[in-house]
């Protein structure tokens, strides 16, 4: 694929009205509002330009894109001049050439002439323009004042800022504002003194910069340049693939030199990200070639033994023989598997197929269990489909945005930027969150209402919002009565109208002033297109499913579903949460969300797979732990997931893993779970394999191999080898064949194929005969289940209560620079921003305990105790403390409890009663963990080959 | 399976269905949820616990487990290969 995209100079116009004009004698018809620059580019006429690029609004400062318009005065900038009917434009003549050369001469007179050794050599717009305008001499010497000795800023780990090369085109400043919405860069000074300034004339790392890379992307010279390009040189080819981090699923061009990634550049044609990126996807890919990668299979009898390096054949045969032995000894249901949201659709599909067809049971689960399983349940029950209803782009048509229990600027940064753009355009914002997340107040963004509720009271708040909407007559009865089950609607209205659900009655529970709840409810119901976005702050509660149901109720009652700009939008945590659920990795469902007890579905899979399938649901992740401890579950195949770190009540999880006789881990690194494993099968990073990911908007996007797998096999091949060794044959030669099988078996995927993804770039399911190019918006004319179903959502307080011993509530979350358990991002320079998990505590609570910023504090719950350093901040309310969980030694999950969602067993990570005290050393668990971890790393170091 | 945990899970399900005014609908909803989402060994354990008195089970989950116990559907024996 071409390294450089066509740059049309200015963004496209959205107008439906067409205008015809003439450019250099050629007739061209474009939408009204299009710039002359873009119109010319659309017929292949490239007008020289520097400050213009099609990802940014026109600025008109560089004076290179001047044109002459018949009958017009002067030489207007073509980037800021809109087309007009009958306009006649000349882009090249002697007068224009002379002016352009003069402009370029001035630019070059203050620019180092080190082109041959410059990192942008061969990919520099300034260089290109010098050539385009025919610059042959620069009459002004370097004796005068210039910027050539301006100091370089290399503080950012991923890119350098060399102001000596800056032409002050302002593209970086505008990218930071328009694309990212951080406003970290400004143009400081006037005239000759003008310069790009991060923050208040600070270094990049000291400024508000979030290292999204938008400025680097926008820079036309080597002023802002990736350090990897400075080190390795310009890439020579590129391959489009999909990011392996969050649920936005950004499309990237992996820019390569041979089999080495030089840089990841966000794809302008990416349907989810439109050319934007965040610090993880853009820069944090170095883990793929980190020295910690294990690229040879290993086995051992006991977790106290050193690892033995073996061939693939030996490792696979050993794992298969152990699973067979365990099943022979303890029964068919004594083994199972876990797949991960970090796996591709095809890998996940194969793992669940292996479990159902080769193990002969339904003991398969995925890490969506511990994040968004309540979404699957709640939306299926109410709307009929376990998925979000919109595209990301839909937010640009929302008038009211309600964010509940999500932190998009940290967790889903590229979508967060889009949301902020819409808010800057005037959309109203309601935030329901216990913390002051960035959206509550940041540059040019301010929430109209912040419902700062107590952790664990989402359902009470949702009911209070519903109470206002119903009792004040703000519901859309016409929509609800036409589209939903009438009886369920009437019953729900009666329920939420009860006085106990009013904002006044629930204030004592939620802590949110009733007037604020009423105002927010009125805005949501009457403010135009209203869209709800939610995250793990909704799902990871004992009433996670109830809140999801309550959110769907709100959308149905107000008619905010079934068109653009509205809807129910779960923000999925990891890249393939949606896909892993779609692919049947839950123990009660086949691919396509069909229950294992359904005779017809089972018969279809039995026929396709040639085996008899189990009709009873299998064990979920927490049930597997319970069964391991009671002795009925003995063997686990775990692909791409790190349950020993990510799952709650760590000591319970570790005990369960120790109780198993065969744990097989397939991963990139010896992760925390692998320290309890008996077989290690090396995994392949997203750069080393083919497949697809499905993002939070149901968008299936291609994952493409840009380098050979370091361990020799893609992950789907390893699962296939294991299945064959277990005696159930699989004979796929490429993941496209796996997708073809999925398309044959899953009604919402019948139109999906690798060929279609190559053609369209991506596609949103359902994609079938009815919707051959996919379904951007769901439930347009009717709900998937037919009539929408309202369900009653009684608030039930969590059993995790504060007391005099545990007076504070701990809630957990994530941070921009790190990802999930940190296995990937901890092995990149992203740790510069976040090198440890810290405990956020309100200054009032800290003062009561004699805690100062940076102190080591013990956090003790009913489950366990750990020690972190304290950060004093008013982001958290008094009585609430907060931490992240990206570092295993933090032991954040040592303190979380085994409480879980009533419907799905999704853990209640968000509410743990704790006490916090100042301490001087690590907790007993941390000491034991460190000892165990060091032992395991020593056993890895002592690994021997089969030949000795 | 840890019976205390299973009782807690059943009661949590019961708490959701408590809002349903029609008691029989609530009981059937709880039973159906357990039937559709619990592994047979978990159902077997909660039914056995119910037959031994069902200590800890709230009213509606108790009735739901009784409904499951009465079913003639044969549960797969866990661990029998």
């Amino acid at each position: 694929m071409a390294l450089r995209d066509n740059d049309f100079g200015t963004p496209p116009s959205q107008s439906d009205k067409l205008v015809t004009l003439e450019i250099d004698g050629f007739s061209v018809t474009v939408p009204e509002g299009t710039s002359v620059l873009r119109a010319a580019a659309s017929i292949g006429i490239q007008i020289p330009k520097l400050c213009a690029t099609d990802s940014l609004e026109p600025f008109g400062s560089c004076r290179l894109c001047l044109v002459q318009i018949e009958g017009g005065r002067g030489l207007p900038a073509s980037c800021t001049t809109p087309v007009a009917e009958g306009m006649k434009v000349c882009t090249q003549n002697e007068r224009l050439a002379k002016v352009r050369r003069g402009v370029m001469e001035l630019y070059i007179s203050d620019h180092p002439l080190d082109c041959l050794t410059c990192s942008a050599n061969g990919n520099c717009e300034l260089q290109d323009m010098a050539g385009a305008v025919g610059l042959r001499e620069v009459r002004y010497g370097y004796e005068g004042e210039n910027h050539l000795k301006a100091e370089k800023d290399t503080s950012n780990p991923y890119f350098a800022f060399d102001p000596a090369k800056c032409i002050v085109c302002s593209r970086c400043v505008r990218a930071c504002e328009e694309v990212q919405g951080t406003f970290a860069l400004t143009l400081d000074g006037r005239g000759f003194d003008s310069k790009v300034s991060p923050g208040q004339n600070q270094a990049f790392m000291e400024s508000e910069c979030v290292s999204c890379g938008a400025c680097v992307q926008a820079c036309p010279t080597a002023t802002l340049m990736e350090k990897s390009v400075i080190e390795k040189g310009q890439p020579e080819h590129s391959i489009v693939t999909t990011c392996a981090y969050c649920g936005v699923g950004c499309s990237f061009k992996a820019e390569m030199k041979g089999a080495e990634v030089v840089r990841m550049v966000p794809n302008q044609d990416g349907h989810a990200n439109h050319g934007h990126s965040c610090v993880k996807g853009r820069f944090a890919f170095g883990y793929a070639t980190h020295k910690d990668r294990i690229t040879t299979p290993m086995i051992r009898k006991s977790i106290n033994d050193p690892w033995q390096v073996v061939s693939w054949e030996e490792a696979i045969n050993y794992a298969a023989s152990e699973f067979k032995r365990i099943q022979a000894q303890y029964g068919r249901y004594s083994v199972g598997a876990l797949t991960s949201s970090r796996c591709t659709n095809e890998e996940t599909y194969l793992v669940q197929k292996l479990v159902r067809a080769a193990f002969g049971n339904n003991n398969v689960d995925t890490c969506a269990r511990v994040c968004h399983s309540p979404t699957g349940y709640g939306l299926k029950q109410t709307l009929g489909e376990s998925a979000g209803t919109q595209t990301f782009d839909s937010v640009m048509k929302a008038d009211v945005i309600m964010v509940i229990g999500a932190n998009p600027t940290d967790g889903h940064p590229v979508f967060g930027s889009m949301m902020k753009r819409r808010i800057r355009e005037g959309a109203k914002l309601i935030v329901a969150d216990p913390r002051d997340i960035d959206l509550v107040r940041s540059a040019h963004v301010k929430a109209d209402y912040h419902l700062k509720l107590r952790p664990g009271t989402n359902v009470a708040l949702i009911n209070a919002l519903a109470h206002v909407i119903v009792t004040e007559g703000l519901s859309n009865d016409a929509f609800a009565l036409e589209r939903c089950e009438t009886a369920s609607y009437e019953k729900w209205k009666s329920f939420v109208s009860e006085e106990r659900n009013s904002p006044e009655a629930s204030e004592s529970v939620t802590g949110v002033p009733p007037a604020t709840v009423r105002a927010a409810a009125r805005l949501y119901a009457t403010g135009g297109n209203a869209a709800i976005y939610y995250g793990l702050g909704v799902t990871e509660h004992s009433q996670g499913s109830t809140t999801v149901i309550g959110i769907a109720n709100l959308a149905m009652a107000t008619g905010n579903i079934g068109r653009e700009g509205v809807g129910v939008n779960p923000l999925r945590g990891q890249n393939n949460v949606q896909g892993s659920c779609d692919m049947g990795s839950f123990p009660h469902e086949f691919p396509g969300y069909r229950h294992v007890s359904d005779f017809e579905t089972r018969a279809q899979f039995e026929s396709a797979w040639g085996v008899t399938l189990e009709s009873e649901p299998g064990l979920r992740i927490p049930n597997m732990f319970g069964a391991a401890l009671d002795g009925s579950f003995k063997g686990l195949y775990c692909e791409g997931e790190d349950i020993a770190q990510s799952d709650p009540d760590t000591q319970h999880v570790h005990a369960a893993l120790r109780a198993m006789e065969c744990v097989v881990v397939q991963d990139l690194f010896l992760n925390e779970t692998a320290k309890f494993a008996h077989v290690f099968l090396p995994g392949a990073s997203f750069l080393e394999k083919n497949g697809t990911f499905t993002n939070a908007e149901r968008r299936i996007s291609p994952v493409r191999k840009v380098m050979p797998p370091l361990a020799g096999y893609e992950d789907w091949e390893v699962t296939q080898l294991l299945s064959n060794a277990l005696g159930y044959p699989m004979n796929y030669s490429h993941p496209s064949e796996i997708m073809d099988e999925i398309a044959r078996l899953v009604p919402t995927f019948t139109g999906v194929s690798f060929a279609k993804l190559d053609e369209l770039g991506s596609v949103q399911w359902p994609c079938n005969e009815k919707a051959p190019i996919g379904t951007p918006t769901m439930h347009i004319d009717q709900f998937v289940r037919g009539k929408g179903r309202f369900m009653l959502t009684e608030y039930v307080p969590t059993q995790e209560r504060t007391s005099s011993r545990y007076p504070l509530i701990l809630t957990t979350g994530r941070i921009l620079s790190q990802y999930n358990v940190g296995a990937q991002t901890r092995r990149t320079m992203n740790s510069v921003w976040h090198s440890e998990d810290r405990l956020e505590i309100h200054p009032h609570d800290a003062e009561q305990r004699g805690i100062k910023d940076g102190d080591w504090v013990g956090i003790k719950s009913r489950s366990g105790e750990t020690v972190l350093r304290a950060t004093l901040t008013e982001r958290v309310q008094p009585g609430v403390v907060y931490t992240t969980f990206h570092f295993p030694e933090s032991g954040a999950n040592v303190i979380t409890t085994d409480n879980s969602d009533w419907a799905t067993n999704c853990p209640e990570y968000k509410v743990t009663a704790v006490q916090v005290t100042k301490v001087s050393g690590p907790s007993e668990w941390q000491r034991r963990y460190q000892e165990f971890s060091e032992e395991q790393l020593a056993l890895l170091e002592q690994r021997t080959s089969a030949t000795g | 399976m840890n019976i205390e945990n299973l009782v807690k899970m059943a009661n949590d399900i019961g708490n959701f269905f408590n809002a349903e005014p029609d008691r029989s609908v609530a009981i059937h909803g709880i039973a159906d949820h357990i039937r559709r989402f619990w592994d047979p060994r978990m159902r077997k354990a909660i039914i056995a616990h119910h037959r031994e008195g069902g200590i800890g089970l709230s009213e509606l989950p108790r009735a739901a487990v009784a409904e499951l116990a009465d079913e003639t559907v044969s549960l797969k024996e866990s661990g029998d290969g």
Side-chain angles (χ1 to χ4, degrees):
Chain A
M1 173 164 194
L3 278 165
R4 287 208 223 175
D5 293 317
N6 259 346
D7 187 342
F8 291 85
T10 61
S13 164
Q14 302 301 324
S15 175
D16 295 329
K17 192 177 170 192
L18 297 177
V19 169
T20 298
L21 68 158
E22 197 176 281
I23 301 177
D24 293 340
F26 295 97
S27 177
V28 55
T29 301
V30 293
E32 188 178 48
T34 301
S35 70
V36 170
L37 179 65
R38 187 178 179 96
S42 71
I43 55 170
I45 295 173
Q46 304 299 332
I47 301 172
K49 62 179 178 57
L50 277 172
C51 72
T53 185
D54 57 13
S55 60
L56 301 171
E57 293 300 319
F59 195 54
S61 79
C62 76
R63 314 309 297 167
L64 262 194
C65 71
L66 308 180
V67 291
Q68 199 159 7
I69 296 172
E70 191 176 291
R73 296 175 58 185
L75 302 175
S78 61
C79 65
T80 52
T81 304
V83 294
E85 187 65 40
M87 179 185 264
K88 290 189 176 176
V89 180
C90 173
T91 73
Q92 300 286 353
N93 61 30
E94 199 170 320
R95 185 182 169 201
L96 288 166
K98 191 175 175 188
V99 174
R100 286 179 188 144
R101 269 198 296 273
V103 170
M104 276 306 297
E105 201 177 349
L106 288 169
Y107 274 122
I108 299 302
S109 71
D110 192 9
H111 191 84
L113 297 177
D114 61 351
C115 288
L116 290 180
T117 55
C118 177
S119 58
N121 189 15
N123 188 13
C124 171
E125 292 183 43
L126 189 66
Q127 196 178 50
D128 294 345
M129 290 307 108
V133 305
L135 186 69
R136 296 292 174 262
E137 62 171 341
V138 175
R139 290 166 292 171
Y140 319 109
Y142 284 134
E143 294 78 24
E145 257 193 288
N146 58 50
H147 299 87
L148 301 182
K149 290 187 177 164
E151 196 177 341
K152 206 169 176 177
D153 175 3
T154 58
S155 61
N156 187 289
Y158 294 120
F159 61 84
F161 173 50
D162 185 355
K165 293 179 174 172
C166 181
I167 59 170
V168 203
C169 64
S170 186
R171 275 163 61 162
C172 56
V173 176
R174 288 179 288 140
C176 192
E177 292 175 5
E178 293 176 26
V179 180
Q180 167 57 27
T182 293
F183 295 78
L185 302 178
T186 52
L187 272 188
D188 190 42
R190 286 170 173 269
F192 180 80
D193 294 328
S194 295
K195 63 173 185 177
V196 171
S197 161
Q200 306 290 317
N201 254 325
Q202 297 161 297
F204 263 87
M205 282 301 280
E206 291 165 12
S207 73
E208 305 90 338
C209 169
V210 292
S211 202
C212 68
C215 57
V216 182
Q217 176 86 343
C219 181
T221 70
T223 307
L224 285 156
M225 180 60 80
E226 296 91 347
K227 289 182 174 175
S228 59
V229 175
I230 294 173
E231 183 190 331
K232 295 169 183 167
Q234 289 287 330
E236 43 78 19
H237 76 277
S238 73
I239 300 170
V240 171
T241 190
T242 302
C243 180
Y245 283 117
C246 79
V248 178
C250 294
S251 177
F252 274 88
K253 288 201 297 184
E255 296 197 346
M256 312 290 299
K257 262 182 175 318
E260 183 181 26
V261 179
V262 175
R263 64 180 171 188
M264 298 292 286
V265 177
N267 182 11
Q268 296 285 354
D269 295 330
H271 299 141
N273 57 317
H274 305 295
H276 191 35
S277 60
C278 78
V279 64
K280 295 190 284 284
R282 179 75 154 92
F283 296 116
F285 56 88
Y287 70 88
T289 49
H290 193 273
K291 64 179 174 57
D292 289 352
R293 280 286 298 270
I294 298 175
T295 55
T296 49
M298 305 186 297
I299 61 173
R300 59 181 177 179
K301 287 280 183 197
S302 151
I303 68 166
N304 299 316
D305 293 341
W307 287 99
Q308 189 181 4
V309 175
V310 295
S311 67
W312 273 104
E313 186 181 14
E314 194 171 345
I316 292 289
N317 286 341
Y318 180 73
S321 69
E322 278 294 277
F323 284 129
K324 285 180 188 170
R325 175 188 67 76
I326 289 169
Q327 284 192 297
Q329 189 172 345
Y330 300 102
R332 179 149 53 106
Y333 306 97
S334 59
V335 298
L338 299 180
T339 177
S340 168
S341 302
R342 292 194 278 273
C343 297
T344 64
N345 286 320
E346 293 74 14
E347 290 158 7
T348 297
Y349 177 85
L350 278 206
V351 170
Q352 63 86 33
K353 182 175 179 180
L354 177 147
V355 169
R356 301 187 202 283
F359 285 167
N361 63 46
N362 286 321
N363 292 333
V364 61
D365 210 350
T366 172
C367 59
R369 172 69 52 213
V370 300
C371 67
H372 264 286
S373 52
T375 289
Y377 179 82
L379 298 187
K380 180 89 172 174
Q381 293 290 317
T382 49
L383 311 180
E385 192 59 274
S386 300
T389 62
Q390 310 296 123
T391 61
F392 286 136
D393 288 352
S394 166
V395 76
M396 297 309 288
K397 294 189 176 172
D399 301 307
V400 178
I401 297 168
M402 179 142 68
V403 178
I404 309 177
N407 189 2
T409 56
D410 278 36
H412 306 84
V414 169
F415 176 65
S417 289
M418 187 189 285
M419 184 183 274
K420 287 199 290 188
R421 189 154 66 246
R422 182 60 185 158
I423 295 164
R424 290 199 302 277
E425 288 177 355
K428 302 291 184 187
L429 174 65
I430 302 164
V431 172
D433 200 290
R435 284 175 78 232
D436 288 347
I437 59 171
D438 282 352
L439 280 179
V440 171
R441 185 186 286 271
S442 57
H444 299 275
V445 168
K446 184 177 179 298
D448 294 274
Y449 302 105
H450 180 197
L451 312 177
K452 200 168 182 175
L453 74 173
R454 295 192 183 109
T457 64
N458 287 333
V459 173
L461 180 66
I462 295 289
N463 286 346
L465 291 166
H467 177 92
V468 177
I469 288 166
V470 170
T471 58
E472 293 190 7
L474 308 177
S475 54
N476 185 341
D477 285 354
F479 177 93
L481 291 170
E482 182 196 338
R483 296 282 307 271
C484 305
E485 292 173 352
T486 306
S488 75
Y489 181 50
E490 297 299 341
K491 191 155 65 169
W492 174 78
K493 280 174 75 173
S494 170
F495 165 75
V496 296
S497 298
E498 291 175 32
E499 183 54 29
R500 65 198 175 92
N501 288 320
S502 70
E504 291 72 21
S506 52
E507 183 186 11
S508 62
V509 172
T510 64
V512 184
T516 311
V517 177
R518 286 191 178 274
R522 289 166 192 150
L523 176 60
Y524 174 76
T526 65
N529 283 344
I532 297 178
Y533 294 86
Y534 71 88
L536 305 183
V538 159
T539 56
E540 290 177 342
H541 287 275
S542 58
Q543 281 203 290
S545 291
T546 315
T547 309
V548 173
I549 290 167
I551 286 169
N553 289 341
L554 281 182
M556 291 190 291
T558 54
N560 277 309
I561 200 153
R563 63 181 188 278
E564 284 190 291
V566 298
V568 176
N569 302 274
L571 295 173
R572 309 288 193 155
Q574 301 199 60
N575 50 331
N576 204 32
V577 174
Q578 182 68 55
S580 71
C581 300
D582 301 341
M583 292 299 104
S585 55
F586 284 145
H588 65 284
E589 288 173 333
F590 288 120
Y593 303 101
R594 289 162 297 168
H595 200 271
V596 292
S597 66
D598 181 74
F599 178 79
E600 281 184 25
T601 302
R602 207 168 59 253
Q604 185 192 14
F605 279 91
E606 286 176 339
S607 169
W609 295 351
V611 289
T612 302
L613 295 170
E614 173 63 60
S615 62
E616 293 282 359
L619 294 166
R620 303 162 172 177
I621 296 176
N623 311 142
M624 289 181 190
F625 299 148
L629 289 168
D630 82 5
S632 66
F633 189 79
K634 293 287 188 179
L636 180 69
Y637 171 39
C638 181
E639 180 175 324
E641 185 53 11
D642 195 2
I643 48 177
Q645 186 184 341
S646 64
D647 284 41
D649 199 355
T650 302
Q651 297 179 84
H652 175 75
V653 176
H654 289 190
L657 285 167
R658 284 178 190 277
M660 294 183 207
E661 294 183 7
C662 181
V663 175
V664 178
V665 168
Q666 185 172 324
D667 210 286
L668 304 180
F669 307 106
L670 192 83
N671 62 18
E672 299 312 300
T673 308
K675 291 171 183 171
F676 296 90
H678 307 87
V679 179
F680 184 89
L681 303 174
S685 77
F686 78 113
L687 298 169
E688 301 158 44
K689 57 194 177 189
N690 289 305
T692 56
F693 289 145
T694 306
N695 74 357
E697 47 170 7
R698 295 170 278 105
R699 183 180 302 286
I700 307 161
S701 298
V703 179
R704 292 294 175 261
K705 182 158 64 175
V706 305
M707 62 171 73
L710 297 190
Y713 286 116
E714 300 179 37
D715 287 290
W716 64 270
E717 293 177 289
V718 178
T719 303
Q720 177 162 287
L721 287 169
L722 182 59
S723 185
N724 288 334
L726 285 164
Y728 179 77
M730 291 186 185
N731 296 297
Y732 305 98
S733 61
H734 190 270
S736 61
E737 295 173 7
I738 304 172
M739 181 54 83
D740 291 344
E741 181 174 314
I742 295 164
R744 286 194 296 274
L745 291 167
V746 179
T748 48
F749 275 65
T750 54
V752 181
S753 67
F754 276 37
K756 182 168 282 182
L757 294 176
D758 286 342
E759 180 192 340
L760 300 178
S762 67
V763 67
Q764 287 174 276
W765 68 259
C767 175
N768 47 28
E769 277 183 13
K770 285 184 191 165
I773 57 169
T775 308
T777 306
M778 294 195 78
H779 314 296
I780 289 178
D781 296 319
Q782 67 168 14
F783 290 102
V784 171
R785 70 184 303 278
K787 294 279 188 183
R789 177 191 185 196
F790 285 85
M791 295 174 77
L792 306 186
T793 53
E794 183 75 50
Y795 167 65
V796 180
T798 171
Q799 290 171 32
E800 183 67 5
R801 307 284 172 83
T802 54
S803 65
S804 56
R805 283 187 71 188
Y806 305 106
L808 303 172
I809 289 287
L810 170 76
T811 189
T812 61
R814 67 178 70 188
I815 201 158
L816 172 66
S817 55
Q818 296 286 356
Y819 178 69
N820 203 265
V821 294
Q824 294 145 284
T825 45
R826 279 187 280 111
R827 291 180 172 92
T828 69
M829 291 300 288
N830 275 29
S831 290
V832 168
W833 285 277
H834 187 82
S835 58
E836 61 179 338
D837 295 318
R838 283 191 166 219
L839 184 82
E840 288 186 5
I841 183 169
H842 191 275
H844 174 76
D845 291 325
E847 187 180 1
Q848 280 189 329
R849 291 163 175 79
I851 295 166
K852 295 189 178 63
D853 198 75
D855 280 351
W856 290 103
V857 292
I859 308 123
K860 188 173 185 180
S861 74
R862 295 178 180 94
S863 293
E865 183 174 14
T866 195
V867 170
L868 300 172
R869 281 203 291 164
T871 294
L872 274 55
T873 173
E874 291 184 1
R875 268 182 180 253
V876 289
Q877 53 188 294
V880 177
V881 292
Y882 169 89
T883 190
T884 49
F885 56 93
H886 304 301
F887 290 81
E889 62 272 22
S890 301
N893 280 322
V894 173
I895 32 186
T896 51
T897 69
D898 63 357
N899 284 336
S900 65
D901 173 51
W902 66 269
T904 68
N905 279 153
C906 179
E908 191 171 47
Y909 290 109
K910 301 296 183 184
V911 186
T912 307
V914 297
Q915 177 59 292
V916 176
T917 53
K918 192 172 170 180
V919 297
S920 57
S923 71
E924 176 57 28
W925 179 86
Q926 282 168 312
R927 272 194 283 269
R928 278 189 280 119
Y929 162 77
Q930 190 177 355
E931 199 175 309
F932 172 71
S933 188
E934 284 172 1
E935 280 170 12
Q936 287 300 319
L937 292 175
L939 292 174
L940 179 67
E941 284 300 308
Q942 295 161 24
R943 61 184 181 263
T944 55
S945 67
T947 53
Chain B
M1 303 297 285
N2 181 315
I3 196 62
E4 283 180 15
N5 190 37
L6 295 179
V7 167
K8 180 173 181 295
M9 286 170 63
N11 287 343
D12 287 347
I13 297 166
N15 283 335
F16 175 80
F17 286 95
N18 257 339
E20 171 56 51
D22 186 330
R23 190 172 178 277
S24 64
V25 171
I27 291 169
H28 184 66
I30 298 167
D32 192 50
H33 190 90
I34 292 174
R35 195 183 295 115
R36 290 178 70 81
F37 293 99
W38 285 27
D39 173 273
R41 78 194 79 177
M42 297 162 67
R43 282 157 34 206
K44 188 179 165 192
I46 197 83
I47 289 168
H49 177 71
H50 176 264
R51 286 183 176 139
E52 290 165 10
I55 293 172
L57 279 171
S58 303
E59 184 207 342
L60 291 178
R62 178 185 293 266
V65 177
E67 182 180 314
L68 292 171
D70 290 343
E71 282 176 358
T72 53
V73 176
S74 62
L75 295 177
K76 292 276 188 297
E77 293 292 320
S78 59
D80 64 355

